[in-house]
Amino acid sequence: MLAAGVRVSHHLRDFDSHFAFGLTSGLASSAFLLFPPIWPRNPTSNFPSISHRSQPRRVSFFCSIVPSTSSGEIPVLSDCFGSREDDREVSVAGGIVALGKFDALHVGHRELAIQASMVGSPFLLSFVGIAEVLGWEPRAPIVAQCDRQRVLSSWAPYCQNSAPSEYRIQFSSVRYLTPREFVEKLSKELRVCGVVAGESYRFGYKAAGDAAELVKLCEEYGISAYIIKSVMDRNQKVVNSANSKERGQVSSTRVRHALSKGDMKYVSELLGRRHRLILMAEGLEGFSNSNNRVSAPRSCLLNLAPKEGLYNNCFVCTTDENLIPCRVAIDSTHVHIEMDDIGTSHLVGTQDRVNVEFGDEVV
């Protein structure tokens, strides 16, 4: 039974007619709780929080960890982080996992990690291979795979100085699981201590499970479950979307829409950081230099670029995270990066990888 004043959305963007996992996700104890977002401010951030409360609210919870089994852990995919320092497997045993589809790693996703970090070791539990299983058209990710660890590390000041780790499992392995079977997998196979999900989270075969059922099942299996309200977009810009869960909350759909419009200020607000574009030179598809300009064919892009146009107030990010001011021009075939210093331009052009961050100004 839901607590007074609790509202759980039953709207859903189905992955298919058989199975769906919610796009947003949050920890309750033995009761179903609905918390407003909590936003500790990062003093080093230049971006205002979408929502902020200075004093995080802590909650008590119970935790029961199922004993380890020899076959309990799922190996991490070899490309899980792309730039991990080592190849050790990540285990979520005893951790607090946020549930969702973490495409953009936006401020709503960060809120889930914040909630998880308040009571344990935070993890993002997401699914890979969804497009391949469901036959979706391939599309560029918002965050390059090799850049995800950097983004998660930047969340540490928000998350009790503990950067969340990402644990991904194949969508094909959970597609047909009932809600109960999925929670059983979390408990007995992954051995998690708790879960975090958003109020509109749906899961299980035919999307049969909602946030209330998640809490109920987690209680049965001795797992803490927290449900939080969605982080709302203060701009409330209209986004044409087939997503029936669209209620004005921060979402990856909104980030993609803002990029398609070239509205980089809006993109920064949704992400809580500047959008970083990654270009990788391979073989003949390399970078070319001309005076103070470095050009790369669009085939070098590892993630989603904003719409065609000229962008001022951008930065080339070096390997040690120094920022070199630049301008970026995007056309139908190339990305052009213009710097004031010819020597710097030539140096950047000799690299195998170029990272570019977008400011708020577009011409």
Side-chain angles (χ1 to χ4, degrees):
M1 182 174 181
L2 301 184
V6 169
R7 174 178 56 82
V8 177
S9 172
H10 292 277
H11 295 302
L12 165 69
R13 176 182 184 267
D14 287 325
F15 285 149
D16 63 4
S17 59
H18 302 292
F19 196 95
F21 274 108
L23 301 181
T24 60
S25 342
L27 282 188
S29 56
S30 57
F32 180 90
L33 301 178
L34 189 63
F35 294 137
I38 296 172
W39 289 95
R41 183 179 295 274
N42 180 354
T44 64
S45 174
N46 294 323
F47 303 109
S49 298
I50 299 283
S51 174
H52 171 64
R53 186 170 72 218
S54 59
Q55 296 298 324
R57 189 188 337 173
R58 294 182 178 272
V59 296
S60 60
F61 72 109
F62 69 88
C63 177
S64 166
I65 303 177
V66 176
S68 174
T69 62
S70 59
S71 61
E73 296 185 15
I74 297 177
V76 171
L77 301 178
S78 59
D79 66 343
C80 182
F81 288 116
S83 58
R84 286 187 62 83
E85 295 180 357
D86 55 49
D87 293 323
R88 292 177 299 176
E89 292 183 356
V90 175
S91 172
V92 295
I96 310 297
V97 297
L99 303 172
K101 182 175 177 290
F102 302 99
D103 181 15
L105 295 178
H106 53 60
V107 291
H109 296 149
R110 189 176 68 188
E111 173 61 22
L112 297 175
I114 290 172
Q115 296 286 352
S117 70
M118 292 175 65
V119 289
S121 300
F123 292 88
L124 304 185
L125 182 66
S126 54
F127 309 100
V128 294
I130 296 174
E132 292 81 359
V133 171
L134 302 182
W136 292 353
E137 288 293 327
R139 63 179 184 177
I142 295 173
V143 182
Q145 186 61 47
C146 59
D147 196 37
R148 293 178 70 85
Q149 182 60 42
R150 177 194 66 87
V151 175
L152 295 179
S153 295
S154 73
W155 290 0
Y158 300 89
C159 299
Q160 315 294 315
N161 292 318
S162 177
S165 298
E166 188 169 23
Y167 190 92
R168 309 194 306 164
I169 58 180
Q170 287 288 347
F171 176 68
S172 58
S173 70
V174 299
R175 181 184 183 184
Y176 295 109
L177 296 185
T178 65
R180 177 174 294 276
E181 289 171 338
F182 176 64
V183 174
E184 183 176 2
K185 183 182 184 75
L186 293 176
S187 172
K188 295 185 177 181
E189 188 172 342
L190 300 185
R191 297 175 288 124
V192 305
C193 179
V195 299
V196 181
E199 60 183 320
S200 58
Y201 184 69
R202 304 289 302 212
F203 67 107
Y205 182 65
K206 293 187 177 180
D210 59 11
E213 184 167 8
L214 178 65
V215 171
K216 177 179 177 293
L217 290 172
C218 283
E219 183 175 0
E220 289 184 26
Y221 282 91
I223 303 175
S224 301
Y226 293 92
I227 305 301
I228 64 170
K229 288 185 177 180
S230 300
V231 177
M232 304 306 292
D233 177 11
R234 293 184 305 180
N235 289 282
Q236 291 297 305
K237 296 187 177 182
V238 177
V239 176
N240 294 326
S241 172
N243 184 357
S244 60
K245 294 199 305 180
E246 174 61 50
R247 296 179 292 105
Q249 70 272 29
V250 175
S251 65
S252 296
T253 298
R254 285 180 174 262
V255 176
R256 287 184 178 275
H257 178 76
L259 285 169
S260 72
K261 300 297 182 182
D263 189 345
M264 303 314 295
K265 180 178 180 180
Y266 185 31
V267 171
S268 295
E269 291 174 353
L270 294 170
L271 295 179
R273 64 183 185 277
R274 286 187 290 262
H275 179 59
R276 179 173 290 197
L277 194 63
I278 310 293
L279 301 104
M280 187 73 73
E282 293 186 6
L284 298 177
E285 296 292 328
F287 306 142
S288 60
N289 279 292
S290 177
N291 295 322
N292 65 333
R293 169 182 284 199
V294 176
S295 298
R298 292 183 70 111
S299 58
C300 292
L301 290 171
L302 298 188
N303 61 315
L304 186 61
K307 78 167 188 177
E308 297 176 18
L310 176 61
Y311 297 86
N312 289 324
N313 192 30
C314 297
F315 303 91
V316 171
C317 308
T318 64
T319 53
D320 54 1
E321 292 299 309
N322 288 325
L323 302 180
I324 303 172
C326 68
R327 295 169 298 280
V328 176
I330 302 176
D331 59 33
S332 60
T333 59
H334 285 77
V335 176
H336 308 281
I337 306 167
E338 300 177 354
M339 287 158 278
D340 293 333
D341 182 69
I342 294 179
T344 301
S345 174
H346 286 175
L347 178 62
V348 170
T350 61
Q351 306 300 307
D352 292 330
R353 168 176 162 176
V354 175
N355 308 323
V356 178
E357 288 191 350
F358 290 80
D360 299 339
E361 185 180 354
V362 60
V363 178

